[in-house]
Amino acid sequence: MTDHHQSTRGEPRVALVTCTELRDLDPDDRLVLAPLARHGVTAEPAVWDDPAVDWAGYDLAVLRSPWDYALRRDEFVAWAATVPTLANPADVVRWNTDKRYLAELSAAGVPTVPTSWVAPGESWQPLADSGEYVIKPAVSAGSQDTGRYDLADPEHRELAVAHVRRLSAAGRVTMVQPYLRAVDSAGETALLFLAGPDGLAFSHAIRKGPMLTGPDLGVEGLYKPEEICARTATEEQLAVAEKTLAAVPGGAERLLYARVDLIPGADGAPVLVELELTEPSLFLGHAEGAPERLAAAIRTHLDRRP
């Protein structure tokens, strides 16, 4: 096997952590390879659950696209704890891979989408007889096992109950949220932050169009393809993002990257949908200079090593 320990004598070596399905990295992540090389950093993909990888041999392991972890979250969190130099850190991974962190952020004063939680074994019935709601597991990647339900429709009500029951039977915590209709017009805004000399700094923002089209029936084709375009973040959005990052346990200054996903709430003010600190798409291809900024952030992390 390649001797990764040579990095202590020459160029630092970085693992870009991925999954078997994306063994050669997601195309967006490949954009950082050339800028890293210009920073004197050798980077290569490494599959998180490949037992042949010598994680201790890398100067830094950067979580990028290990998107198959959702149904193996305990295994993934345990693996993260064994990686000596992981970005973002293992304790952040443990906290951020269970979306019940939203309740903590809400308690800290961050405006979040109202969320109720259904533990495995608990019975659940819709409390309202109208309105649209989103049901999804507290541990998930992308929009897997996620559905949108119109509770005025008797069939949707039955499907919503069945969705919660299905997740519960699998031992998964369910989250129930009102569907914020502004996403249909304004879309979702993702604000990207990357590490700099003085901590996380805003890099760029993108707009994501609506994806959920209906109930989760356990089949493909329930979601629209992602519609991504560049977006200019507003001062109000940036303020919510900063407040969110200030509430991260252990401090946001340790982070290599963060993605703050916002949607206009009922009053039009931005509310947090998700805080992505583990394996977010960074949408490097949608902002000029973003790959170079990520490479510089990785170089900054490397230069902080003892």
Side-chain angles (χ1 to χ4, degrees):
M1 187 173 182
T2 303
D3 179 12
H4 299 308
H5 292 280
Q6 65 181 330
S7 62
T8 60
R9 301 186 298 273
E11 287 189 348
R13 301 183 69 94
V14 170
L16 300 178
V17 181
T18 185
C19 60
T20 300
E21 187 176 348
L22 294 168
R23 187 174 292 276
D24 295 322
L25 299 176
D26 180 74
D28 195 65
D29 289 328
R30 288 199 288 269
L31 297 175
V32 79
L33 294 175
L36 279 174
R38 291 194 290 272
H39 278 274
V41 176
T42 299
E44 59 193 42
V47 175
W48 74 272
D49 57 352
D50 181 351
V53 177
D54 174 20
W55 298 105
Y58 289 102
D59 296 282
L60 186 66
V62 177
L63 286 163
R64 289 310 319 122
S65 49
W67 293 332
D68 59 356
Y69 78 85
L71 296 179
R72 304 159 59 195
R73 187 240 176 188
D74 289 347
E75 180 185 346
F76 182 69
V77 168
W79 162 81
T82 69
V83 181
T85 53
L86 187 67
N88 286 325
D91 64 300
V92 172
V93 171
R94 177 180 293 277
W95 179 75
N96 189 241
T97 50
D98 187 325
K99 292 183 178 63
R100 282 177 286 185
Y101 68 75
L102 287 171
E104 295 182 40
L105 293 176
S106 179
V110 175
T112 63
V113 178
T115 305
S116 58
W117 311 89
V118 185
E122 290 184 348
S123 61
W124 177 83
Q125 288 291 329
L127 297 178
D129 56 9
S130 63
E132 289 190 283
Y133 286 79
V134 173
I135 293 175
K136 58 185 174 182
V139 177
S140 65
S143 295
Q144 294 176 347
D145 303 306
T146 300
R148 172 180 170 183
Y149 301 89
D150 181 354
L151 298 186
D153 183 330
E155 182 181 5
H156 274 225
R157 291 174 67 85
E158 291 181 10
L159 289 171
V161 171
H163 188 170
V164 175
R165 187 182 301 123
R166 185 166 63 250
L167 293 175
S168 181
R172 306 174 78 183
V173 174
T174 301
M175 47 197 301
V176 181
Q177 300 174 320
Y179 183 78
L180 300 180
R181 296 303 301 268
V183 74
D184 292 334
S185 54
E188 183 175 325
T189 300
L191 288 78
L192 288 303
F193 292 79
L194 300 172
D198 301 316
L200 283 181
F202 175 68
S203 170
H204 58 285
I206 60 96
R207 177 193 185 275
K208 292 194 291 183
M211 291 180 61
L212 292 175
T213 60
D216 174 29
L217 302 176
V219 296
E220 297 294 330
L222 292 174
Y223 316 111
K224 298 179 182 178
E226 277 196 326
E227 299 175 0
I228 308 295
C229 63
R231 167 165 274 178
T232 300
T234 67
E235 290 299 323
E236 192 175 20
Q237 289 171 334
L238 288 168
V240 172
E242 295 288 355
K243 188 169 189 176
T244 301
L245 294 173
V248 173
E253 65 276 358
R254 303 183 296 152
L255 304 177
L256 173 65
Y257 52 67
R259 197 182 92 197
V260 183
D261 294 345
L262 305 174
I263 291 177
D267 62 356
V271 296
L272 180 71
V273 182
E274 287 191 34
L275 171 61
E276 300 262 15
L277 305 179
T278 302
E279 32 61 47
S281 293
L282 297 177
F283 305 110
L284 301 177
H286 291 271
E288 185 177 355
E292 289 75 15
R293 289 192 290 276
L294 177 58
I298 291 172
R299 183 76 241 194
T300 295
H301 259 244
L302 288 166
D303 291 343
R304 289 175 180 167
R305 292 171 299 164

